[in-house]
Amino acid sequence: MEQKFITVGVMGWPVEHSRSPIIHNHWIQKYHLNGSYGLFPVAPSHLEAALRGISVLGLAGCNITIPHKVETLKLVDWVDPIATKVGAVNTVVTQPNGDLHGFNTDVYGYVQGLRDSHPDWRADAGPAVVIGAGGASRAVIVSLLEEGATEIRILNRTNVKAEELAHEFGAKIKTIKWAERNEALSGAALLVNTTNQGMHKQEALDIDLAELPKHALVSDAIYIPLETPLLAIANSRGNPTVNGLGMLINQARLSFQAWFGVMPEITPELNKKIISTF
Ligand code: NAP
């Protein structure tokens, strides 16, 4: 019997820049599945109607991207506890009765991206410094806490947002003022950039790594470019580094599994396909 055709996609505004169709359609082909992944440009005022349309149209679900991740959490019928902690949904899965369940696969994506390149990495190896307090920061913080981090130092240009995160996520979170960001790196085992600084067309992140131990892992959520100025400096002083591509592809793997029932692999061929679009 032929497998049912499975339609999924990504809702965002704007959404044309998304690499998700390349990733998911690659896997659909590779695993000989019957389905398609499309782009759904949905203006914020239409989000609720678009989400309600998912089950009516027979979609297996969809990814949710900027600016809809927080609002979607309030609109789906059930939210996974990890997505509740992050406060954002990036994956919707349609249930047999038409209900919509919301998940956040960025949490898995971040930590699996680290593990793929550094299999021995441990969250409890020492203090983690997370720079930024936006959506990516929340997913990274939840990942690190779920993995057993004992101390997370948060630095954000707007300090009050870092303090809000500390209040929400508890005693393992320490906030350090932006002006003291260079000293905050002392004794750290992990440094994560979750700001947009260093991204294509943005300024480099303004930080001095002199105090960062040479063994500390330096990770950037950014994937365009693959080597941000932060990662270039870290590489040049001998720190191990991880770019944001692993997070991007690993969050997609978990969504794909939820819709198609197959946990897809990351291959050099897929990496090459994505990088060729940068
Ligand atoms: P967001 O919610 O808008 O947060 C942006 C963060 O950047 C805030 O903490 C903001 O600080 C900080 N920032 C902006 N301009 C700054 C500046 N000039 N100096 C210092 N800090 C500055 O964005 P997001 O969704 O978290 O995304 C952040 C980055 O992560 C983006 O580059 C995105 O591409 C990347 N990302 C990657 C993945 C992946 O799969 N690899 C997933 C999600 C996001 P203030 O609070 O002071 O404004």
Side-chain angles (χ1 to χ4, degrees), residues 8-245:
V8 283
V10 54
M11 288 186 190
W13 186 258
V15 77
E16 306 81 60
H17 64 279
S18 171
R19 266 73 184 182
S20 294
I22 297 169
I23 300 173
H24 289 274
N25 286 321
H26 171 87
W27 286 329
I28 289 170
Q29 262 193 327
K30 179 178 159 75
Y31 294 100
H32 308 291
L33 298 166
N34 201 9
S36 179
Y37 187 104
L39 286 175
F40 304 128
V42 174
S45 58
H46 293 153
L47 179 65
E48 184 165 5
L51 284 170
R52 289 294 142 218
I54 287 181
S55 63
V56 182
L57 291 167
L59 270 60
C62 68
N63 279 133
I64 304 291
T65 190
I66 287 171
H68 300 319
K69 289 186 186 185
V70 174
E71 201 53 31
T72 297
L73 184 114
K74 302 175 203 155
L75 295 171
V76 292
D77 301 297
W78 177 85
V79 181
D80 176 72
I82 293 283
T84 302
K85 278 187 194 163
V86 178
V89 161
N90 78 333
T91 302
V92 172
V93 181
T94 314
Q95 303 303 302
N97 67 355
D99 278 3
L100 302 178
H101 288 189
F103 299 86
N104 189 305
T105 65
D106 286 333
V107 170
Y108 167 83
Y110 177 68
V111 93
Q112 193 56 41
L114 286 194
R115 288 236 161 85
D116 285 349
S117 57
H118 296 85
D120 297 334
W121 173 81
R122 290 180 60 98
D124 60 0
V129 177
V130 176
I131 307 182
S137 171
R138 296 181 66 92
V140 167
I141 290 167
V142 172
S143 295
L144 296 177
L145 289 174
E146 291 289 312
E147 291 294 321
T150 50
E151 180 185 335
I152 303 176
R153 303 172 187 164
I154 303 187
L155 301 158
N156 193 50
R157 178 182 61 173
T158 310
N159 189 50
V160 67
K161 289 194 200 162
E163 281 169 1
E164 281 166 15
L165 291 183
H167 182 71
E168 187 176 336
F169 289 112
K172 289 176 182 161
I173 313 289
K174 314 260 180 276
T175 59
I176 297 178
K177 292 208 166 55
W178 189 242
E180 292 154 26
R181 60 194 176 283
N182 298 335
E183 296 77 24
L185 305 181
S186 174
L190 174 71
L191 168 62
V192 193
N193 175 37
T194 71
T195 75
N196 61 1
Q197 299 293 279
M199 203 171 152
H200 177 59
K201 293 189 178 162
Q202 295 283 342
E203 296 288 315
L205 181 68
D206 179 13
I207 195 155
D208 180 346
L209 300 189
E211 294 285 330
L212 185 72
K214 291 271 168 64
H215 64 263
L217 181 57
V218 180
S219 141
D220 207 319
I222 293 169
Y223 51 88
I224 306 177
L226 285 175
E227 188 185 60
T228 58
L230 172 71
L231 295 189
I233 293 170
N235 280 325
S236 73
R237 67 198 293 278
N239 286 90
T241 60
V242 190
N243 63 43
L245 190 60

